[in-house]
Amino acid sequence: MTLITMNRRGIGYFMAELLIVTLGVSISLFMANQLDKLKRQNTEYEVLSVIKKNLQRDSLMVHYQIMVLDKLIDYTDRLHADTIKESLDSLNICLDGVCSYSSTILTEVGFMEMTNNQIVLSNDTLYRAVLDYYTTTNDLFREWRDIDKKYILDDVIPFVIDHFENLTIYDTPEGSRFGFSEWPDEKSLKQHAFQNRLVTNLIYKKNILAITKVVEQKNNQLLTFVQKDLTRFKK
């Protein structure tokens, strides 16, 4: 065997080994990328699944809240219009409605998991829709809910306690309830200070109702979007 043949064989072996190493590294990188991609997909699927459950829960709560707000507006409007003549029980239901406030809080478990772990959804349109729902929409919803709550707790309830005789307050698992032990003086219900508070209460409740309906609409749209996007993980 000549030196040239040995050198050729050595170069051949070297090239083969280099090719094997290169292929090995490429395969390792490919497998690492695939595992990383699979991990990100699983994480995204889990987050979207939680968001879906949150939206489903909120859908029921928001729908119920709309019905409650409709009733509170009706109770307040009846007191303001002085149309309650039938019974003391009816009057007490309306007074208790006037002293009630919206308390619905949107469920943010999935959204907080997404933001805390800096997870960016691969569907950019869906990602922006999720951000809009849990920031812009929810912030407005929370702002008016807190305004209404503060007004009821800091103004309406103290006024009712200070200016109405025969008032009864009793505690329930849902909170305090207000009513009269006997029919109050008509003048106390018609006093301007109380009527003005009823008008303000109506304004706040109607604003919250309008915002809550927007939340319901966006909730339904986002839930449909999330459910549709989740199907691609099953293919």
Side-chain angles (χ1 to χ4, degrees):
M1 181 180 297
T2 64
L3 182 60
I4 295 176
T5 303
M6 292 179 63
N7 287 338
R8 286 177 178 173
R9 178 177 294 179
I11 293 174
Y13 284 147
F14 173 76
M15 294 301 294
E17 289 176 358
L18 180 61
L19 179 60
I20 292 173
V21 171
T22 302
L23 286 174
V25 172
S26 298
I27 291 172
S28 296
L29 289 175
F30 175 77
M31 293 301 297
N33 288 335
Q34 288 298 107
L35 289 173
D36 182 63
K37 181 180 178 180
L38 181 61
K39 181 180 179 181
R40 284 187 281 108
Q41 286 181 340
N42 289 337
T43 300
E44 185 175 351
Y45 178 80
E46 291 173 0
V47 168
L48 283 175
S49 297
V50 175
I51 290 177
K52 173 186 172 182
K53 292 179 180 179
N54 294 165
L55 291 171
Q56 289 173 328
R57 179 178 183 273
D58 288 347
S59 179
L60 297 175
M61 291 177 57
V62 169
H63 183 71
Y64 175 74
Q65 185 63 42
I66 288 174
M67 293 189 296
V68 170
L69 285 169
D70 278 330
K71 290 183 178 180
L72 295 183
I73 290 172
D74 178 62
Y75 296 152
T76 305
D77 195 44
R78 292 183 64 191
L79 266 180
H80 177 57
D82 191 26
T83 59
I84 308 168
K85 305 295 182 183
E86 56 270 30
S87 69
L88 183 61
D89 286 341
S90 297
L91 177 64
N92 287 342
I93 290 174
C94 291
L95 178 66
D96 188 62
V98 168
C99 296
S100 301
Y101 53 86
S102 175
S103 58
T104 300
I105 299 175
L106 298 184
T107 311
E108 302 180 72
V109 178
F111 175 69
M112 294 305 298
E113 182 179 342
M114 185 184 79
T115 53
N116 289 340
N117 293 305
Q118 298 181 337
I119 298 171
V120 179
L121 303 179
S122 55
N123 187 327
D124 183 63
T125 304
L126 175 59
Y127 181 65
R128 285 186 278 109
V130 170
L131 290 178
D132 177 71
Y133 178 79
Y134 284 105
T135 55
T136 305
T137 302
N138 191 26
D139 287 349
L140 182 62
F141 182 61
R142 184 189 297 112
E143 178 184 2
W144 274 99
R145 184 195 66 216
D146 292 346
I147 289 174
D148 178 56
K149 180 179 179 180
K150 180 176 176 58
Y151 177 67
I152 296 299
L153 293 178
D154 295 351
D155 193 312
V156 175
I157 291 178
F159 181 88
V160 169
I161 293 174
D162 292 341
H163 292 80
F164 287 105
E165 298 179 355
N166 306 319
L167 185 69
T168 59
I169 305 174
Y170 53 97
D171 294 326
T172 70
E174 293 77 27
S176 299
R177 291 289 180 262
F178 297 81
F180 296 106
S181 57
E182 58 183 71
W183 201 273
D185 181 10
E186 292 290 338
K187 292 182 179 179
S188 62
L189 293 175
K190 294 180 180 180
Q191 57 184 306
H192 291 301
F194 182 58
Q195 289 295 316
N196 289 339
R197 282 170 172 79
L198 293 179
V199 172
T200 303
N201 199 350
L202 281 170
I203 293 173
Y204 287 165
K205 290 297 190 296
K206 288 180 179 179
N207 281 336
I208 295 173
L209 177 60
I211 294 169
T212 305
K213 288 181 177 180
V214 171
V215 172
E216 182 180 43
Q217 180 183 20
K218 290 198 172 187
N219 175 284
N220 293 335
Q221 292 173 346
L222 183 57
L223 179 57
T224 300
F225 202 167
V226 170
Q227 289 174 326
K228 182 179 179 180
D229 197 64
L230 279 170
T231 60
R232 67 185 173 88
F233 293 94
K234 300 177 182 179
K235 296 180 180 180

